Amino acid sequence: MVNSLYIRLQSTAQRLIEKYGQTGTIKRVTPPDPVLGGDGTETLYPAKLVPMTYEQRYINGTTILTSDRQIYVSSVGLAVVPRVGDIAIAGGVEYHVIAADPNNYDGQVNVVFICQGRTAT
């Protein structure tokens, strides 16, 4: 049974991301066929997201760099669950997803996706 608290939290997260976020994209590249080869296939999924700078206390220089961004992605209407290896595009900047947390507390409702994004340098 779906807990109504998580539905309300999801609605709140969506409202805040709509207000303060931007339209972006989650890009997923599927690998080429292992036998036939070829190029991987890119699929773009429209998303509402907010890239934010990490607080200084979380930056340690190894797992979280100063150029990393904490990316909040609205789960409402998103066709995929962001995962490691995806690319989040916001404001023309591509962030490689190196960590992803679905914030799914009851196993049924994805409240919000929080990803760690790293720019390619």
Side-chain angles (χ1 to χ4, degrees):
M1 177 173 210
V2 176
N3 189 331
S4 63
L5 171 65
Y6 300 126
I7 299 295
R8 288 195 313 268
L9 288 173
Q10 183 187 49
S11 297
T12 301
Q14 180 201 13
R15 189 174 64 252
L16 290 170
I17 291 171
E18 283 284 334
K19 183 175 182 178
Y20 297 107
Q22 57 189 293
T23 301
T25 306
I26 302 293
K27 179 167 65 172
R28 180 165 290 166
V29 179
T30 55
D33 186 280
V35 175
L36 301 175
D39 294 329
T41 305
E42 289 185 357
T43 307
L44 302 176
Y45 300 97
K48 289 297 239 178
L49 44 86
V50 180
M52 297 180 4
T53 304
Y54 276 96
E55 291 182 32
Q56 188 63 37
R57 63 184 169 164
Y58 296 119
I59 298 172
N60 60 13
T62 50
T63 56
I64 300 177
L65 307 177
T66 55
S67 61
D68 289 356
R69 297 292 177 260
Q70 192 171 27
I71 304 169
Y72 288 78
V73 183
S74 175
S75 63
V76 177
L78 188 61
V80 295
V81 174
R83 64 180 184 203
V84 174
D86 288 348
I87 298 172
I89 304 169
V93 179
E94 291 189 353
Y95 299 97
H96 296 273
V97 176
I98 59 171
D101 182 7
N103 284 267
N104 184 321
Y105 306 108
D106 64 351
Q108 296 177 340
V109 178
N110 291 320
V111 175
V112 65
F113 301 115
I114 302 175
C115 303
Q116 180 182 354
R118 183 168 290 163
T119 58
T121 55

